[in-house]
Amino acid sequence: MARGIRDKVAIIGMGCSKFGERWDANAEDLMVEAFNEALTDAGIEKRQIEAAWFGTAFDRVHVGASALPLSTTLRLSSIPVTRVENMCATGTEALRGATYAVASGACDIALALGVEKLKDTGYGGLPAGSRGPLPDLWVPNGSAPGNFAQLATAYSAKHGVSAQDLKEAIGHVSWKSHQNGAKNAKAHLQKAVPMETILNAPMIAEPLGLFDCCGVSDGSACAIVTTPDIAKGLGKHDIVTIKALQLCLSDGVESAFNTWDGSHFATTRVAAKKAYEEAGIKNPREELSMIEVHDCFSVTELVTMEDLYISAEGQAVKDVMDGFYDADGPVPCQIDGGLKCFGHPIGASGLRMVYEVYLQLLGRAGPRQLKNPNFGLTHNLGGAPHQNVSAISVIGRYS
């Protein structure tokens, strides 16, 4: 019987580049920036890395195809390097590959690195691209804001939330993230934004205003993983381990008639249950110390709070307005600023989230530091509400 990966793999080093409009750096520079920090943090030599996983989504607009951009940029000599892509869950997918390799005993030390360089493409949003002829027949004119605005409408209808109450709640989600991001020197946007500005911002797709949407960005993040025993042998004392890594993809049921009401993410609910079971978490509302969720749009974050079983169904609006997810609340969400302030360089986002949990667990988060965190959860969502990839990791101290 499968026993999962809880406490089988330790994170011994992490790095994260400065995110933003990095006209000063190409994708290779961003990879080196993140990798050098991680390698120094791990306290190992590059030759000790035995395998690597490389996450990037829009390879054709920056680094090119295959895993060669990683192996050549970092001069990873004669080791297996694999490129992965799984929409917005790409960064977490890279971590999953490295983690499973160590947990299986296939290698002792592995690297996961994600990168995306989008600000040189000339697009205001994500680059246009086909997902194949069949999806294009289903949603030929779908846009990301439009798809997620429908999620907001369905949520309001199901739970009887007024348009004004929902607008104020998702506005608070964005306000909270900008408050946190102002304390993060690596964030793309580092400025607190008044609530009045958020609520009165130009409308992108009703009810999502400008500040309810995350932007694109340039960035890279990476992790070096090994076993807890090897970590101890390297002199590590305060060891951070991976408690759970779960992935769930839509099977097409949401797209069928009368099987999904459009108000939640079915995949996230499945992945969350499996992750909590793997991590040994019985009550996520009480046991999680922090969460980093996929806030591509503020309503996505609000709905995800329920899909993670932290807020009761239909109660996320109340929890948000009560400050439950604020920096000084019981379960801070996006303490680093989230996608709202970092933007979304797709291949890097999942690992950037884990980076913040890692810093918090080791007491290195500076002005954002939380008091005695035990468990942190990260969540990525790739695709649209009706068809997506959901990835969840739980990170904690070795026990």
Side-chain angles (χ1 to χ4, degrees):
M1 176 179 290
R3 293 172 295 172
I5 58 165
R6 179 171 52 171
D7 284 335
K8 292 181 179 177
V9 178
I11 302 174
I12 57 171
M14 290 206 73
C16 182
S17 75
K18 168 78 172 66
F19 280 36
E21 295 184 341
R22 293 295 304 271
W23 312 119
D24 62 307
N26 57 25
E28 290 77 10
D29 294 326
L30 296 174
M31 286 190 265
V32 170
E33 189 175 324
F35 178 70
N36 283 346
E37 181 184 349
L39 193 65
T40 300
D41 183 31
I44 64 172
E45 296 182 24
K46 185 170 63 178
R47 60 177 175 79
Q48 293 177 268
I49 297 172
E50 297 171 84
W53 275 259
F54 177 46
T56 188
F58 289 101
D59 59 304
R60 281 167 289 182
V61 301
H62 61 115
V63 294
S66 87
L68 282 168
L70 181 64
S71 64
T72 55
T73 298
L74 301 185
R75 300 291 192 269
L76 299 175
S77 182
S78 302
I79 67 169
V81 184
T82 304
R83 181 197 165 214
V84 296
E85 185 279 319
N86 214 349
M87 303 180 88
C88 299
T90 295
T92 303
E93 193 69 278
L95 179 62
R96 198 167 72 102
T99 297
Y100 278 24
V102 169
S104 71
C107 65
D108 286 335
I109 299 178
L111 169 73
L113 186 146
V115 69
E116 215 76 47
K117 177 72 172 162
L118 296 173
K119 298 304 290 186
D120 292 344
T121 63
Y123 288 91
L126 296 177
S130 172
R131 292 177 294 128
L134 184 58
D136 284 351
L137 286 174
W138 278 79
V139 283
N141 298 312
S143 69
N147 289 335
F148 284 85
Q150 293 180 65
L151 173 75
T153 304
Y155 180 89
S156 294
K158 180 176 182 178
H159 299 295
V161 179
S162 71
Q164 181 65 30
D165 287 349
L166 183 67
K167 184 65 179 174
E168 290 182 1
I170 61 177
H172 188 97
V173 164
S174 301
W175 172 86
K176 167 264 300 169
S177 294
H178 282 286
Q179 292 285 321
N180 296 340
K183 300 176 182 176
N184 197 328
K186 290 192 174 183
H188 185 154
L189 305 174
Q190 301 174 33
K191 183 178 181 181
V193 181
M195 190 70 179
E196 183 180 17
T197 302
I198 293 171
L199 294 178
N200 294 316
M203 192 62 67
I204 304 300
E206 180 77 29
L208 305 177
L210 179 64
F211 290 97
D212 295 312
C213 311
C214 86
V216 297
S217 191
D218 302 333
S220 178
C222 75
I224 297 173
V225 296
T226 187
T227 68
D229 284 343
I230 293 175
K232 291 176 187 175
L234 291 170
K236 304 289 184 182
H237 299 292
D238 196 5
I239 297 176
V240 171
T241 55
I242 297 172
K243 305 291 183 180
L245 261 177
Q246 290 291 335
L247 194 71
C248 183
L249 280 71
S250 295
D251 60 3
V253 169
E254 299 103 309
S255 302
F257 289 102
N258 301 322
T259 54
W260 175 65
D261 62 14
S263 68
H264 66 279
F265 300 104
T267 54
T268 295
R269 294 185 178 189
V270 174
K273 284 184 177 179
K274 290 183 176 179
Y276 295 145
E277 182 179 358
E278 187 171 38
I281 290 178
K282 305 295 184 186
N283 186 341
R285 187 177 176 93
E286 298 293 332
E287 295 179 64
L288 290 175
S289 308
M290 59 175 290
I291 57 176
E292 291 279 323
V293 307
H294 200 84
D295 57 327
C296 51
F297 300 95
S298 53
V299 72
T300 314
E301 179 178 322
L302 184 141
V303 170
T304 298
M305 292 163 174
E306 296 180 10
D307 292 337
L308 293 174
Y309 302 101
I310 300 172
S311 290
E313 191 167 352
Q315 296 301 307
V317 169
K318 180 179 183 301
D319 280 344
V320 166
M321 297 309 291
D322 285 346
F324 187 85
Y325 298 102
D326 289 356
D328 58 354
V331 183
C333 183
Q334 329 291 51
I335 192 65
D336 67 346
L339 270 67
K340 288 284 180 303
C341 296
F342 271 85
H344 187 20
I346 298 171
S349 290
L351 284 159
R352 185 269 301 163
M353 294 174 175
V354 175
Y355 177 75
E356 178 65 16
V357 176
Y358 178 79
L359 292 180
Q360 291 284 349
L361 290 169
L362 294 176
R364 300 180 187 170
R368 308 180 310 281
Q369 182 63 48
L370 302 173
K371 186 177 180 182
N372 299 321
N374 289 317
F375 291 112
L377 178 147
T378 71
H379 161 266
N380 289 131
L381 187 86
H386 75 285
Q387 194 174 80
N388 58 72
V389 179
S390 181
I392 292 177
S393 73
V394 179
I395 314 294
R397 294 191 174 88
Y398 182 55
S399 58

